[in-house]
Amino acid sequence: MDYHIKSKDPRLHFYAGDYDALVHARKPKGIDDKRAYMIGTGIGALAAGCFLIRDAHMDGSKITYLEQLDLPGGCLDGKVIQNVGYVARGGREMGHHFEVLWDLFHSLPSVEDPNVSVLDHLYYVNKDDPNFSNCRITTNCGKRYDNGKFNLGQKCAMELANFLMMSDESLQDKSIEEIFSDELLNSDFWCYWRTMFAFENWHSALEMKLYMNRFIHHVGGLADLSALQFCRRDQFTDFVTPMINYLKAHNVNFRYGVTVTNVEFEITDEKKAARKIVATDKDGKDISIDLTDNDLCFITNGSMTESSSYGTDSTPAPWNPALGGCWEMWKNIAKQSPEFGHPEKFYSQPEKSKWESCTVTVTDPRITKLVENITKRSPYGGRICTGGIVTAKDSGWLMSWTINRQEQYYGQPENAFEVWVYGLFPDAPGNFVKKPMRECTGHEITAEWLYHIGAPKDQIEELAGTCSAIPVMMPFITSMFMPRAFGDRPYVVPKNAVNFAFLGQFAETLDEPGRDTVFTIEYSGRTAMEAVYILAGVERAVPEVFASRYDIRYLLNAAGEMLDGEKPDLKLPLLVRRKLEKKIKGTDIELLLKEYNII
């Protein structure tokens, strides 16, 4: 390795480049004596099982999943509710530099075409049908607002640049609105950003900084969403199902209806070990599992979609912020050591971590025309339509909506397309439906959406009646964005832990400094790879988070993009400027600065 990428755990190494990426991990010593128990079946847990089989060469029959629900997949769902319709709680945006995810998905056969990998299929779907948006923001009932630019100006662009230079330590427990000016929080840039990533003003400034650094190479593609890739079908089909198929083909055990309420630990100064999984089955029978050092325990602590509630066309989604199994389990685990995190930092303010989504099924050609007026594309034909979310900037709910490639769900009627709608401000009254989104039925949310895409007011009720819609209230959907400090999330593998790890959005990765971002599938996959490689003794290194923040080319490009191509106003005294110009004249530095329109 040419340079040392720091790790918080000496058992874990990181790499950049192909030397480790292309090597096949050899079988770790002692792996045949080990078993693995996965608490939860979210992306992190499913990925961990795949890494155990592929890279640690564990016999799949020695891996057992314990899941409270009757369906795996965690937050990445997409399904048909009988006699009601299609519903998805959310979706994930994909980027080119999800190194861990692509490392896994190049090994798994695609559901759509088992002759190619998941990665190959996604790659060529997006190669043949590149993603971009023809309209990112609307106002005035469907009129295009955005001009494809951030419209920040020199002052706000400099404010963002200064923000990126702040230390992580200084941003602990700070909110975005404590750091950013009102001018920035009312900018077009912030409208793009907050609706794309679901940031609220009161969310973590530290997470905001991590996001800006993590995706600085994508800045130029954020205004028109050309930086993104989307799968062909719903994400459960395209991303979750290949992992489940792989695990089942290797005889992995799935146990559903299992509620884990605690993991009990033996903790000394030299060692931490999981000793018992406390669990009951769906009938309340104790099915707890005693653990030895050779029993590896992978814990998904916390959940973004816990306590989700569903409405119908005629009923609102009820508000039910009760703590479910994942949170109660983490609370009990955290009581045993301060190193196991502080779950209350994330779950204790559901009014600040909630938003609501709604899946609308459309068949009326009159609505199709309204959509096409905005997107300049047909929602039919299996190709990109919106190219990501469209935000109604003047919506009281700050409503955004998207139409993915159709047929999104296998078996979906040919004349139907699915619209996913979400509102960042579900407590505010709507513009057409004069009440908060959280109090609205599916029919009313559809009516509000139709208003914002330009439906004639006197036709809205009739048009809404041709649709079906399922609203979903999620009290903890952005809980991982709540302001936090170091130590509020447990490390993937805590210090001196020998047989357990934490997975998912509420675990802290082990790179130093931690550079990946939550609310992505990649983050779940990264926690899984780190956990498996340490506990199973896999010798192969983990890919580092793409280092665009350390690449001068991406930084210079981002500066130009944030200013919409305008040169930075470098406030230097004339004599100093001339001296610098003379110093760099004829050098590669001059060429670089000119290439990126800095001078």
Side-chain angles (χ1 to χ4, degrees), residues 9-170:
D9 193 304
R11 295 170 289 181
L12 187 69
H13 302 283
F14 297 94
Y15 74 82
D18 289 340
Y19 188 64
D20 281 84
L22 300 178
V23 73
H24 294 90
R26 59 186 175 183
K27 190 173 184 176
K29 294 178 181 178
I31 194 67
D32 290 335
D33 299 324
K34 298 182 186 296
R35 304 185 69 88
Y37 295 93
M38 305 286 178
I39 300 175
T41 59
I43 297 298
L46 295 175
C50 294
F51 289 133
L52 278 171
I53 294 167
R54 189 194 72 177
D55 296 337
H57 303 277
M58 179 176 277
D59 183 335
S61 66
K62 294 185 176 181
I63 301 172
T64 299
Y65 283 85
L66 307 174
E67 171 58 53
Q68 184 176 1
L69 304 177
D70 57 2
L71 183 74
C75 301
L76 272 193
D77 58 4
K79 60 185 178 180
V80 181
I81 297 180
Q82 191 172 10
N83 299 323
V84 179
Y86 295 96
V87 62
R89 288 179 290 190
R92 302 292 175 269
E93 295 146 339
M94 316 299 286
H96 286 158
H97 288 288
F98 282 7
E99 268 69 11
V100 170
L101 202 63
W102 306 144
D103 182 286
L104 173 61
F105 282 167
H106 93 276
S107 302
L108 305 180
S110 164
V111 170
E112 192 115 359
D113 182 358
N115 294 313
V116 303
S117 72
V118 175
L119 176 57
D120 288 339
H121 187 260
L122 180 79
Y123 181 92
Y124 286 111
V125 163
N126 286 275
K127 193 80 168 176
D128 296 339
D129 183 25
N131 190 78
F132 66 93
S133 169
N134 283 322
C135 180
R136 177 62 180 82
I137 302 176
T138 64
T139 55
N140 300 321
C141 301
K143 303 293 190 299
R144 177 171 179 167
Y145 168 86
D146 70 289
N147 59 1
K149 297 180 178 181
F150 291 119
N151 304 311
L152 270 169
Q154 297 281 344
K155 181 182 175 183
C156 286
M158 182 57 69
E159 184 178 342
L160 284 173
N162 290 332
F163 170 66
L164 287 176
M165 291 187 284
M166 296 179 70
S167 69
D168 291 355
E169 288 79 5
S170 69

Side-chain angles (χ1 to χ4, degrees), residues 416-575:
F417 62 88
E418 304 303 319
V419 185
W420 184 77
V421 179
Y422 95 102
L424 268 181
F425 303 157
D427 296 322
N431 302 72
F432 179 77
V433 179
K434 306 291 186 180
K435 60 182 184 179
M437 186 180 188
R438 67 190 298 174
E439 297 176 10
C440 288
T441 65
H443 176 89
E444 291 169 325
I445 293 173
T446 303
E448 184 75 7
W449 171 67
L450 289 169
Y451 170 80
H452 284 291
I453 67 171
K457 287 185 180 180
D458 60 354
Q459 296 179 27
I460 287 178
E461 283 299 325
E462 180 207 348
L463 290 172
T466 69
C467 304
S468 62
I470 303 177
V472 186
M473 175 58 76
M474 294 168 284
F476 305 107
I477 188 61
T478 54
S479 52
M480 67 287 162
F481 280 167
M482 294 301 289
R484 64 174 177 86
F486 299 158
D488 287 337
R489 303 189 305 212
Y491 285 129
V492 169
V493 180
K495 186 178 180 181
N496 299 327
V498 296
N499 71 337
F500 69 96
F502 295 98
L503 304 174
Q505 306 297 306
F506 300 92
E508 189 77 41
T509 55
L510 293 165
D511 49 338
E512 178 63 62
R515 290 192 277 120
D516 216 343
T517 51
V518 293
F519 214 11
T520 64
I521 312 175
E522 171 72 359
Y523 195 87
S524 293
R526 181 169 293 277
T527 62
M529 184 180 266
E530 290 186 357
V532 168
Y533 280 26
I534 290 176
L535 296 186
V538 176
E539 296 169 302
R540 182 175 181 250
V542 171
E544 73 161 332
V545 174
F546 185 57
S548 53
R549 67 177 284 190
Y550 301 120
D551 191 319
I552 189 65
R553 297 168 301 173
Y554 291 116
L555 296 176
L556 293 175
N557 180 68
E561 294 289 350
M562 296 301 279
L563 287 168
D564 300 317
E566 181 183 342
K567 286 182 173 61
D569 183 11
L570 303 174
K571 298 189 181 301
L572 297 173
L574 183 60
L575 289 177

